[in-house]
Amino acid sequence: MEVVIVADPEAGGTLVGQAIVDLVARRPDAVLGLATGSSPVVVYRDLARRRAAGEVSFAGVRAFLLDEYAGLTPEHPRSYRRFIAEELERHVDFRPGAVRGPDAVSADVPAGCAAYEAAIAAAGGVDLQLLGIGTDGHIGFNEPGSSLASRTRIKTLTDRTRRDNARFFPSFDDVPRHVVTQGVGTILEARHLVLLAFGAAKADAVARAVEGPVTAMVPGSALQLHPHVSVVVDEPAAACLALAPYYRETWAHKPPWQGL
Ligand code: GLP
């Protein structure tokens, strides 16, 4: 696992945006894993800028979302599918149908989840998966206690996560209780995991995920089981990392050709 401590979220967005542009240059039909929440927005802004500058085309790229609120249609203004449409898709040139999210309105939820897993596999798996982390250590919507081998399925949100996400809804009571999320096991199959976390509120979750024991109580700690993980944090989010000086030293002396 590589931890990169950046000066501010925008620097993190530029770094990860560059990694995505490099991936798409190598593999124009790359498969991206997209995350919602505030953390990845700096990456989406960077990609929009690079697209406008002609640095990258997403015409051959496919993408899969991590999760969705159960019961919200893709068109619903608070759905994650709509969030991605607004924050990324409308600024770049994905082909129609190239971006998919889990089916959160299916009458047969397990069948919808199985179809989503099958679609990811049929696309050849995810090349680069963007991730945020919840203050309780969740990735995707895998709350504490999620099996580290879990697949796409329905989950119940904790009140803490519903409170954290209430800012996107008219009130706390409007935040759905149920979600459909890729499992921890699904996420671990992506070839490169990139977790972004900014701000002091994330410091504890980041330290527990990166330096704590691997445990279902901190789903983000499952990243320690993956061979290629980049954790991009600002100084406040890095505040509880015991090995921060080592991460800084490693990054400062990394061969420039290596990329993320
Ligand atoms: C939601 C999403 C997660 C995200 C988390 C943190 O719970 N399902 O994928 O990581 O929020 O969001 P933020 O980046 O806004 O702090």
PDB file of all heavy atoms in Angstrom, residues 8-14 17 38-47 49 196 198:
ATOM      1  N   ASP A   8      -3.186  19.580  -0.672  1.00  0.00           N
ATOM      2  CA  ASP A   8      -4.618  19.909  -0.547  1.00  0.00           C
ATOM      3  C   ASP A   8      -5.409  18.974  -1.461  1.00  0.00           C
ATOM      4  O   ASP A   8      -4.829  18.275  -2.294  1.00  0.00           O
ATOM      5  CB  ASP A   8      -4.866  21.391  -0.877  1.00  0.00           C
ATOM      6  CG  ASP A   8      -4.255  21.796  -2.201  1.00  0.00           C
ATOM      7  OD1 ASP A   8      -4.302  20.999  -3.156  1.00  0.00           O
ATOM      8  OD2 ASP A   8      -3.701  22.910  -2.279  1.00  0.00           O
ATOM      9  N   PRO A   9      -6.743  18.955  -1.319  1.00  0.00           N
ATOM     10  CA  PRO A   9      -7.540  18.036  -2.143  1.00  0.00           C
ATOM     11  C   PRO A   9      -7.317  18.226  -3.642  1.00  0.00           C
ATOM     12  O   PRO A   9      -7.276  17.245  -4.401  1.00  0.00           O
ATOM     13  CB  PRO A   9      -8.984  18.379  -1.741  1.00  0.00           C
ATOM     14  CG  PRO A   9      -8.868  18.901  -0.340  1.00  0.00           C
ATOM     15  CD  PRO A   9      -7.562  19.640  -0.294  1.00  0.00           C
ATOM     16  N   GLU A  10      -7.135  19.481  -4.082  1.00  0.00           N
ATOM     17  CA  GLU A  10      -6.941  19.716  -5.521  1.00  0.00           C
ATOM     18  C   GLU A  10      -5.693  19.003  -6.025  1.00  0.00           C
ATOM     19  O   GLU A  10      -5.689  18.440  -7.124  1.00  0.00           O
ATOM     20  CB  GLU A  10      -6.836  21.222  -5.826  1.00  0.00           C
ATOM     21  CG  GLU A  10      -8.159  21.959  -5.755  1.00  0.00           C
ATOM     22  CD  GLU A  10      -8.769  21.980  -4.357  1.00  0.00           C
ATOM     23  OE1 GLU A  10      -8.001  22.082  -3.365  1.00  0.00           O
ATOM     24  OE2 GLU A  10     -10.014  21.855  -4.256  1.00  0.00           O
ATOM     25  N   ALA A  11      -4.632  19.009  -5.209  1.00  0.00           N
ATOM     26  CA  ALA A  11      -3.404  18.297  -5.615  1.00  0.00           C
ATOM     27  C   ALA A  11      -3.687  16.806  -5.710  1.00  0.00           C
ATOM     28  O   ALA A  11      -3.165  16.111  -6.603  1.00  0.00           O
ATOM     29  CB  ALA A  11      -2.284  18.573  -4.610  1.00  0.00           C
ATOM     30  N   GLY A  12      -4.530  16.289  -4.822  1.00  0.00           N
ATOM     31  CA  GLY A  12      -4.928  14.881  -4.897  1.00  0.00           C
ATOM     32  C   GLY A  12      -5.710  14.612  -6.169  1.00  0.00           C
ATOM     33  O   GLY A  12      -5.504  13.592  -6.845  1.00  0.00           O
ATOM     34  N   GLY A  13      -6.596  15.553  -6.529  1.00  0.00           N
ATOM     35  CA  GLY A  13      -7.389  15.403  -7.756  1.00  0.00           C
ATOM     36  C   GLY A  13      -6.503  15.368  -8.989  1.00  0.00           C
ATOM     37  O   GLY A  13      -6.719  14.559  -9.907  1.00  0.00           O
ATOM     38  N   THR A  14      -5.486  16.218  -9.002  1.00  0.00           N
ATOM     39  CA  THR A  14      -4.572  16.268 -10.149  1.00  0.00           C
ATOM     40  C   THR A  14      -3.774  14.973 -10.255  1.00  0.00           C
ATOM     41  O   THR A  14      -3.600  14.421 -11.342  1.00  0.00           O
ATOM     42  CB  THR A  14      -3.594  17.459  -9.987  1.00  0.00           C
ATOM     43  OG1 THR A  14      -4.364  18.624  -9.758  1.00  0.00           O
ATOM     44  CG2 THR A  14      -2.724  17.643 -11.201  1.00  0.00           C
ATOM     45  N   GLY A  17      -6.184  12.209 -11.262  1.00  0.00           N
ATOM     46  CA  GLY A  17      -6.609  12.480 -12.643  1.00  0.00           C
ATOM     47  C   GLY A  17      -5.521  12.059 -13.620  1.00  0.00           C
ATOM     48  O   GLY A  17      -5.791  11.416 -14.650  1.00  0.00           O
ATOM     49  N   SER A  38     -18.163  13.434  -1.474  1.00  0.00           N
ATOM     50  CA  SER A  38     -17.412  14.652  -1.805  1.00  0.00           C
ATOM     51  C   SER A  38     -15.972  14.358  -2.231  1.00  0.00           C
ATOM     52  O   SER A  38     -15.406  15.083  -3.051  1.00  0.00           O
ATOM     53  CB  SER A  38     -17.367  15.577  -0.587  1.00  0.00           C
ATOM     54  OG  SER A  38     -18.654  15.760  -0.069  1.00  0.00           O
ATOM     55  N   SER A  39     -15.364  13.295  -1.670  1.00  0.00           N
ATOM     56  CA  SER A  39     -13.920  13.095  -1.858  1.00  0.00           C
ATOM     57  C   SER A  39     -13.484  12.973  -3.318  1.00  0.00           C
ATOM     58  O   SER A  39     -12.488  13.585  -3.699  1.00  0.00           O
ATOM     59  CB  SER A  39     -13.456  11.875  -1.062  1.00  0.00           C
ATOM     60  OG  SER A  39     -13.913  11.972   0.261  1.00  0.00           O
ATOM     61  N   PRO A  40     -14.182  12.186  -4.163  1.00  0.00           N
ATOM     62  CA  PRO A  40     -13.682  12.040  -5.537  1.00  0.00           C
ATOM     63  C   PRO A  40     -13.999  13.212  -6.459  1.00  0.00           C
ATOM     64  O   PRO A  40     -13.525  13.228  -7.606  1.00  0.00           O
ATOM     65  CB  PRO A  40     -14.378  10.763  -6.034  1.00  0.00           C
ATOM     66  CG  PRO A  40     -15.557  10.576  -5.170  1.00  0.00           C
ATOM     67  CD  PRO A  40     -15.333  11.313  -3.896  1.00  0.00           C
ATOM     68  N   VAL A  41     -14.738  14.210  -5.976  1.00  0.00           N
ATOM     69  CA  VAL A  41     -15.163  15.298  -6.863  1.00  0.00           C
ATOM     70  C   VAL A  41     -13.954  16.039  -7.446  1.00  0.00           C
ATOM     71  O   VAL A  41     -13.964  16.442  -8.615  1.00  0.00           O
ATOM     72  CB  VAL A  41     -16.137  16.248  -6.121  1.00  0.00           C
ATOM     73  CG1 VAL A  41     -16.352  17.538  -6.894  1.00  0.00           C
ATOM     74  CG2 VAL A  41     -17.469  15.541  -5.892  1.00  0.00           C
ATOM     75  N   VAL A  42     -12.879  16.170  -6.664  1.00  0.00           N
ATOM     76  CA  VAL A  42     -11.676  16.853  -7.187  1.00  0.00           C
ATOM     77  C   VAL A  42     -11.098  16.095  -8.378  1.00  0.00           C
ATOM     78  O   VAL A  42     -10.528  16.688  -9.298  1.00  0.00           O
ATOM     79  CB  VAL A  42     -10.587  17.047  -6.099  1.00  0.00           C
ATOM     80  CG1 VAL A  42     -10.969  18.175  -5.151  1.00  0.00           C
ATOM     81  CG2 VAL A  42     -10.294  15.759  -5.334  1.00  0.00           C
ATOM     82  N   VAL A  43     -11.244  14.773  -8.374  1.00  0.00           N
ATOM     83  CA  VAL A  43     -10.752  13.963  -9.507  1.00  0.00           C
ATOM     84  C   VAL A  43     -11.643  14.237 -10.729  1.00  0.00           C
ATOM     85  O   VAL A  43     -11.144  14.439 -11.848  1.00  0.00           O
ATOM     86  CB  VAL A  43     -10.771  12.457  -9.168  1.00  0.00           C
ATOM     87  CG1 VAL A  43     -10.328  11.628 -10.371  1.00  0.00           C
ATOM     88  CG2 VAL A  43      -9.891  12.165  -7.960  1.00  0.00           C
ATOM     89  N   TYR A  44     -12.961  14.277 -10.504  1.00  0.00           N
ATOM     90  CA  TYR A  44     -13.871  14.491 -11.630  1.00  0.00           C
ATOM     91  C   TYR A  44     -13.656  15.876 -12.238  1.00  0.00           C
ATOM     92  O   TYR A  44     -13.695  16.046 -13.455  1.00  0.00           O
ATOM     93  CB  TYR A  44     -15.326  14.274 -11.188  1.00  0.00           C
ATOM     94  CG  TYR A  44     -15.548  12.866 -10.646  1.00  0.00           C
ATOM     95  CD1 TYR A  44     -16.462  12.599  -9.632  1.00  0.00           C
ATOM     96  CD2 TYR A  44     -14.802  11.795 -11.137  1.00  0.00           C
ATOM     97  CE1 TYR A  44     -16.649  11.311  -9.133  1.00  0.00           C
ATOM     98  CE2 TYR A  44     -14.969  10.503 -10.638  1.00  0.00           C
ATOM     99  CZ  TYR A  44     -15.891  10.274  -9.642  1.00  0.00           C
ATOM    100  OH  TYR A  44     -16.054   8.994  -9.147  1.00  0.00           O
ATOM    101  N   ARG A  45     -13.378  16.875 -11.388  1.00  0.00           N
ATOM    102  CA  ARG A  45     -13.109  18.226 -11.922  1.00  0.00           C
ATOM    103  C   ARG A  45     -11.823  18.215 -12.749  1.00  0.00           C
ATOM    104  O   ARG A  45     -11.748  18.825 -13.812  1.00  0.00           O
ATOM    105  CB  ARG A  45     -12.963  19.237 -10.781  1.00  0.00           C
ATOM    106  CG  ARG A  45     -14.201  19.336  -9.950  1.00  0.00           C
ATOM    107  CD  ARG A  45     -14.627  20.763  -9.667  1.00  0.00           C
ATOM    108  NE  ARG A  45     -15.981  20.715  -9.125  1.00  0.00           N
ATOM    109  CZ  ARG A  45     -16.286  20.886  -7.838  1.00  0.00           C
ATOM    110  NH1 ARG A  45     -15.339  21.171  -6.971  1.00  0.00           N
ATOM    111  NH2 ARG A  45     -17.542  20.802  -7.440  1.00  0.00           N
ATOM    112  N   ASP A  46     -10.821  17.487 -12.248  1.00  0.00           N
ATOM    113  CA  ASP A  46      -9.558  17.417 -12.975  1.00  0.00           C
ATOM    114  C   ASP A  46      -9.766  16.731 -14.331  1.00  0.00           C
ATOM    115  O   ASP A  46      -9.242  17.183 -15.349  1.00  0.00           O
ATOM    116  CB  ASP A  46      -8.525  16.642 -12.141  1.00  0.00           C
ATOM    117  CG  ASP A  46      -7.173  16.604 -12.811  1.00  0.00           C
ATOM    118  OD1 ASP A  46      -6.473  17.639 -12.786  1.00  0.00           O
ATOM    119  OD2 ASP A  46      -6.824  15.562 -13.404  1.00  0.00           O
ATOM    120  N   LEU A  47     -10.550  15.661 -14.354  1.00  0.00           N
ATOM    121  CA  LEU A  47     -10.794  14.948 -15.609  1.00  0.00           C
ATOM    122  C   LEU A  47     -11.576  15.827 -16.592  1.00  0.00           C
ATOM    123  O   LEU A  47     -11.314  15.790 -17.803  1.00  0.00           O
ATOM    124  CB  LEU A  47     -11.538  13.637 -15.347  1.00  0.00           C
ATOM    125  CG  LEU A  47     -10.731  12.570 -14.589  1.00  0.00           C
ATOM    126  CD1 LEU A  47     -11.594  11.352 -14.286  1.00  0.00           C
ATOM    127  CD2 LEU A  47      -9.471  12.153 -15.367  1.00  0.00           C
ATOM    128  N   ARG A  49     -11.410  19.061 -16.793  1.00  0.00           N
ATOM    129  CA  ARG A  49     -10.423  20.021 -17.337  1.00  0.00           C
ATOM    130  C   ARG A  49      -9.569  19.371 -18.409  1.00  0.00           C
ATOM    131  O   ARG A  49      -9.324  19.933 -19.474  1.00  0.00           O
ATOM    132  CB  ARG A  49      -9.489  20.495 -16.212  1.00  0.00           C
ATOM    133  CG  ARG A  49      -9.934  21.767 -15.516  1.00  0.00           C
ATOM    134  CD  ARG A  49      -8.801  22.348 -14.666  1.00  0.00           C
ATOM    135  NE  ARG A  49      -8.273  21.396 -13.681  1.00  0.00           N
ATOM    136  CZ  ARG A  49      -8.795  21.211 -12.477  1.00  0.00           C
ATOM    137  NH1 ARG A  49      -9.845  21.907 -12.108  1.00  0.00           N
ATOM    138  NH2 ARG A  49      -8.261  20.339 -11.634  1.00  0.00           N
ATOM    139  N   LEU A 196      -9.382   8.072  -1.662  1.00  0.00           N
ATOM    140  CA  LEU A 196      -9.165   9.498  -1.392  1.00  0.00           C
ATOM    141  C   LEU A 196      -9.851   9.862  -0.083  1.00  0.00           C
ATOM    142  O   LEU A 196     -11.001   9.465   0.142  1.00  0.00           O
ATOM    143  CB  LEU A 196      -9.765  10.355  -2.508  1.00  0.00           C
ATOM    144  CG  LEU A 196      -9.143  10.131  -3.888  1.00  0.00           C
ATOM    145  CD1 LEU A 196     -10.215   9.705  -4.877  1.00  0.00           C
ATOM    146  CD2 LEU A 196      -8.442  11.374  -4.370  1.00  0.00           C
ATOM    147  N   PHE A 198     -10.012  13.377   2.665  1.00  0.00           N
ATOM    148  CA  PHE A 198      -9.554  14.728   2.987  1.00  0.00           C
ATOM    149  C   PHE A 198     -10.250  15.234   4.241  1.00  0.00           C
ATOM    150  O   PHE A 198     -11.433  14.971   4.451  1.00  0.00           O
ATOM    151  CB  PHE A 198      -9.857  15.672   1.815  1.00  0.00           C
ATOM    152  CG  PHE A 198      -9.295  15.188   0.498  1.00  0.00           C
ATOM    153  CD1 PHE A 198     -10.136  14.855  -0.551  1.00  0.00           C
ATOM    154  CD2 PHE A 198      -7.920  15.034   0.321  1.00  0.00           C
ATOM    155  CE1 PHE A 198      -9.623  14.397  -1.760  1.00  0.00           C
ATOM    156  CE2 PHE A 198      -7.391  14.577  -0.877  1.00  0.00           C
ATOM    157  CZ  PHE A 198      -8.247  14.256  -1.929  1.00  0.00           C
TER     158      PHE A 198
END
